[in-house]
Amino acid sequence: MTAPNTRSDKLVQVEREAVTAALLQAAARLAQGRDAESILRPFCDALVAATRHIRLAWMWLGNADTTIIRPTYAVGAAREYAQALVLGADEATRPLSPVLRALAGGRPVLATVRSDSAFAPWRAEALRYGLEVMASFPFGEAGDGKQGLVAVYADEPDYFARLGWAPFVAFQHLAQVALTQAALRDRLNTLATFDSLTGLLNRGAMQGALECLHGEACRAHETYGVLLLDIDRFKLINDGYGHGVGDTVIQEMARILRESLRAEDQAGRWGGEEFLCLLPGADCAITGAIAERLRAGITAHSFAVSTGHALRATVSLGMACFPVDGDSVQTLLNHADMGLYEAKRDGRNRTARASDRGRSLFSTAQQLEAALTSGQVRPAYQPIVALADGRLVAKEALARIITPGGVLEAEHFIEAADRFQWLHRLDHDMIGQVIEHCAVTRNTQDPPIAYFVNVSTDLFHHAERVQDLLQRITRTSMPCCADTDTEKPLVIEITERQFLGDFDAVRRTLAPFLAFGIRLALDDFGSGYSSFRYLTELPFAFVKLDKVLVHRVQTTQGRRILRGLQDLARDLGFRTIAEGVEDKACADALAALGVDWAQGRYFASPQFEDAPDVSS
């Protein structure tokens, strides 16, 4: 009497093991799923493949507030039945359908085809396919209003009762975890890809998009355009109306870009108030026309500020076209950036393509970068003498690039260094070499002399480079000058134009150097409106008289101005240095005014302390 039950138990055990093995195999693939569909499909496929008793498995994915449910994927012998299913999800039908009950309750629901009233419209068709029982397994993605469901149909009314819920529920829980992880990955990817303020692609994503576009254009021998767009005088908007209004303007600018560009174009936030636009298939004429349409549309747009108020904003655009403006992504970006620079320089609210001068500047920047990398930037030292007796008192280190064709002076590459934000690299390299030179020559110079070197504000924005220089000063035990027991031979020259505005910030950035006894010189004194305030705000030891004034020393007006500056410097305890002295008459006139020191080609041209190798 027990044999049939034993045989039945064995069959159930075999079936349970087959289903469990299939679900385990599917579970192993869960982590590979990048989205909900790729996670739930293996659930359906595994169950149908595991046993002939499961005739159908279908899945649905959608919003929680949907009113119609249709299977999005179906597999099994009865999949045609699923393809015809349309379930209403309104308030009236939700309590009746087992599928909707599962979604509403977040728990599996079992329903028998022959007896559940929800199957009334579908019962005959379901039975024709051999469907006797259905189990619905709901899923939800964490916090984003999305839902999913897998419905599994078997051909025996007691199929799930005999096998038990355990393997199905276990898989449901694993799949739910995988869905949650996929949703989190998707959100993290969104955060990493899109700018949170504008919803546009961020800089990293746009860089990737540009590289893809470039690769496609190269393979297909097609053109494309690049636009770099910047909101003019955006700081005035932020300062005048507040950062909230500034953010609104940036958001509205992003909307205008989305609506104005072609369907195939891409726009992204490149940084701050800058945007990058990619124009597939566009030649220079099309790129220019799109740029002008954007510029004109933005100029005509009224940006809402508050009730009854609005503001206008303009943009400057730099454009570059592949392949005429470059055959690499970086070259095109640099040309677009140079075009933007020229548009700003020439008055803003315009589109510009890099001019011959701009291209030359870019070429110089490439040469400078190569020289910095290969160690071909060297200091040439120009002597500074005391006008009273002609003795050597100091030297100024002037940057030079050593090339196979000769030596490039700073005037040929300093603008490129500034434009491409490499001044900090140039300053760091030059100061480092001067520090080492001071350490090497300290025992050969008697009395010791001072070494002047120009520094830009860009250096002080790179704390790691400042710290490295301070460590070098400490490591080399830079000797003291003769003037005091604490002063070092290194003198930092800054130009008043570089530090307009926040004197407290200036003091903070210079403090570490001043603490080491390094002295300051104010360069180009008399060339701007803020010099006198600088003399009261910062601890300068030297003022270098602007060479334009120095060249006018033999005019009555020039002598009066220089005499006044000299008297002021003497009263304040500063030593004066005249730059650009070209002849004896100029030197004598300066000496008669009491100017302390001088430098220029009359005394000596800048020279390398050792002969540079120009062959490499």
Side-chain angles (χ1 to χ4, degrees):
M1 297 296 293
T2 61
N5 290 334
T6 302
R7 188 162 52 252
S8 176
D9 290 344
K10 288 182 179 179
L11 291 174
V12 170
Q13 183 63 28
V14 170
E15 183 80 5
R16 183 183 295 115
E17 289 175 356
V19 170
T20 301
L23 290 175
L24 286 172
Q25 186 178 9
R29 297 169 53 192
L30 287 177
Q32 302 172 10
R34 306 304 301 177
D35 54 37
E37 184 168 346
S38 65
I39 288 170
L40 296 184
R41 274 196 181 203
F43 191 6
C44 301
D45 295 338
L47 290 174
V48 170
T51 172
R52 61 183 178 82
H53 291 294
I54 295 181
R55 306 278 294 168
L56 170 67
W58 61 261
M59 58 178 281
W60 167 82
L61 293 166
N63 294 322
D65 58 356
T66 188
T67 57
I68 296 293
I69 290 178
R70 292 186 177 92
T72 55
Y73 176 71
V75 63
R79 65 178 176 275
E80 291 182 4
Y81 169 81
Q83 291 169 356
L85 279 177
V86 180
L87 305 177
D90 54 52
E91 291 294 333
T93 59
R94 189 171 289 118
L96 303 177
S97 169
V99 167
L100 300 179
R101 292 201 306 270
L103 287 172
R107 297 187 303 274
V109 171
L110 187 68
T112 304
V113 173
R114 294 181 184 272
S115 59
D116 196 304
S117 59
F119 280 98
W122 312 94
R123 185 173 291 118
E125 190 71 8
L127 293 173
R128 188 172 73 84
Y129 280 99
L131 307 181
E132 293 285 350
V133 66
M134 179 190 75
S136 301
F137 300 93
F139 301 91
E141 294 187 47
D144 58 4
K146 298 290 183 66
Q147 284 187 316
L149 177 132
V150 171
V152 182
Y153 295 73
D155 61 2
E156 296 177 346
D158 61 347
Y159 182 79
F160 293 104
R162 288 190 297 112
L163 261 68
W165 282 106
F168 299 97
V169 173
F171 183 86
Q172 180 197 24
H173 290 163
L174 288 173
Q176 181 62 64
V177 171
L179 284 170
T180 301
Q181 291 176 336
L184 291 174
R185 281 197 304 269
D186 186 59
R187 277 190 280 279
L188 288 172
N189 183 61
T190 297
L191 290 173
T193 303
F194 293 93
D195 173 60
S196 59
L197 180 63
T198 64
L200 297 177
L201 293 175
N202 61 24
R203 186 180 183 116
M206 281 300 287
Q207 181 76 35
L210 176 54
E211 290 170 357
C212 288
L213 175 59
H214 182 75
E216 292 168 0
C218 288
R219 289 188 292 271
H221 303 288
E222 294 178 345
T223 63
Y224 69 87
V226 175
L227 292 177
L228 192 58
L229 174 153
D230 184 84
I231 303 174
D232 294 327
R233 297 186 174 92
F234 184 72
K235 188 176 186 299
L236 296 180
I237 296 175
N238 264 341
D239 292 347
Y241 295 94
H243 289 275
V245 171
D247 286 349
T248 299
V249 170
I250 288 176
Q251 290 172 322
E252 189 72 0
M253 198 71 68
R255 183 189 64 79
I256 294 172
L257 291 179
R258 280 192 294 262
E259 294 177 355
S260 303
L261 292 173
R262 304 171 302 170
E264 63 268 33
D265 299 334
Q266 285 182 291
R269 191 176 180 195
W270 198 238
E273 63 272 19
E274 268 191 350
F275 299 85
L276 184 71
C277 301
L278 308 180
L279 315 176
D283 59 16
C284 288
I286 294 174
T287 300
I290 292 173
E292 277 303 294
R293 187 173 73 240
L294 286 174
R295 186 199 61 76
I298 292 168
T299 301
H301 185 75
S302 180
F303 293 85
V305 175
S306 59
T307 304
H309 293 82
L311 64 84
R312 301 280 185 176
T314 62
V315 293
S316 298
L317 300 100
M319 59 176 279
C321 307
F322 173 79
V324 294
D325 289 325
D327 58 3
S328 72
V329 165
Q330 193 56 52
T331 299
L332 288 165
L333 285 174
N334 286 335
H335 277 145
D337 186 55
M338 185 54 62
L340 176 60
Y341 172 72
E342 294 188 16
K344 294 280 190 183
R345 185 197 61 198
D346 294 341
R348 301 180 177 85
N349 190 22
R350 65 192 63 218
T351 300
R353 189 173 164 205
S355 63
D356 290 342
R357 180 177 177 278
R359 295 168 194 273
S360 175
L361 198 62
F362 173 61
S363 176
T364 302
Q366 290 180 307
Q367 188 177 28
L368 173 60
E369 183 180 33
L372 286 168
T373 302
S374 61
Q376 295 303 304
V377 176
R378 299 278 302 282
Y381 294 93
Q382 184 172 46
I384 299 174
V385 302
L387 283 172
D389 55 17
R391 61 188 172 86
L392 177 69
V393 290
K395 293 181 180 180
E396 180 178 358
L398 301 169
R400 300 289 186 263
I401 293 180
I402 310 302
T403 74
V407 177
L408 286 182
E409 296 185 4
E411 63 187 42
H412 296 291
F413 57 83
I414 200 68
E415 184 182 359
D418 186 20
R419 178 67 194 118
F420 290 92
Q421 299 180 348
W422 289 337
L423 282 175
H424 66 278
R425 291 180 59 185
L426 182 63
D427 291 345
H428 178 264
D429 190 279
M430 286 292 296
I431 296 174
Q433 292 189 62
V434 172
I435 290 171
E436 298 298 329
H437 182 73
C438 289
V440 170
T441 60
R442 68 171 129 185
N443 295 324
T444 61
Q445 291 176 340
D446 187 24
I449 64 173
Y451 284 87
F452 288 69
V453 61
N454 287 280
V455 176
S456 68
T457 55
D458 192 28
L459 174 66
F460 297 115
H461 295 153
H462 294 77
E464 73 287 353
R465 293 191 181 275
V466 171
Q467 187 60 35
D468 176 71
L469 293 174
L470 293 172
Q471 290 174 353
R472 291 194 194 189
I473 292 172
T474 304
R475 186 173 62 250
T476 58
S477 300
M478 183 179 282
C480 297
C481 285
D483 293 4
T484 72
D485 292 335
T486 59
E487 294 171 343
K488 299 292 192 296
L490 184 65
V491 179
I492 291 177
E493 287 188 34
I494 60 173
T495 303
E496 59 173 296
R497 293 186 298 273
Q498 295 177 321
F499 281 106
L500 294 178
D502 190 346
F503 292 102
D504 289 335
V506 174
R507 275 191 290 264
R508 285 195 299 271
T509 56
L510 292 173
F513 290 94
L514 298 176
F516 273 87
I518 291 171
R519 291 167 291 172
L520 298 181
L522 180 61
D523 199 12
D524 296 339
F525 182 61
S527 64
Y529 68 89
S530 62
S531 297
F532 298 108
R533 184 179 177 188
Y534 269 97
L535 295 180
T536 62
E537 294 281 351
L538 295 170
F540 287 105
F542 305 90
V543 290
K544 302 191 77 175
L545 301 173
D546 179 57
K547 65 177 62 178
V548 174
L549 283 176
V550 168
H551 292 167
R552 295 174 181 169
V553 67
Q554 297 187 63
T555 68
T556 302
Q557 194 74 358
R559 279 195 299 275
R560 288 174 178 172
I561 293 173
L562 285 167
R563 182 180 295 110
L565 294 177
Q566 175 62 33
D567 291 343
L568 173 66
R570 182 182 297 109
D571 290 344
L572 294 175
F574 302 135
R575 182 170 282 141
T576 52
I577 305 173
E579 294 185 290
V581 177
E582 303 294 332
D583 53 48
K584 184 177 186 300
C586 179
D588 291 343
L590 291 167
L593 293 175
V595 174
D596 298 305
W597 295 353
Q599 66 184 105
R601 295 186 185 276
Y602 170 66
F603 303 106
S605 297
Q607 299 291 329
F608 295 103
E609 294 292 305
D610 54 346
D613 181 8
V614 298
S615 63
S616 57

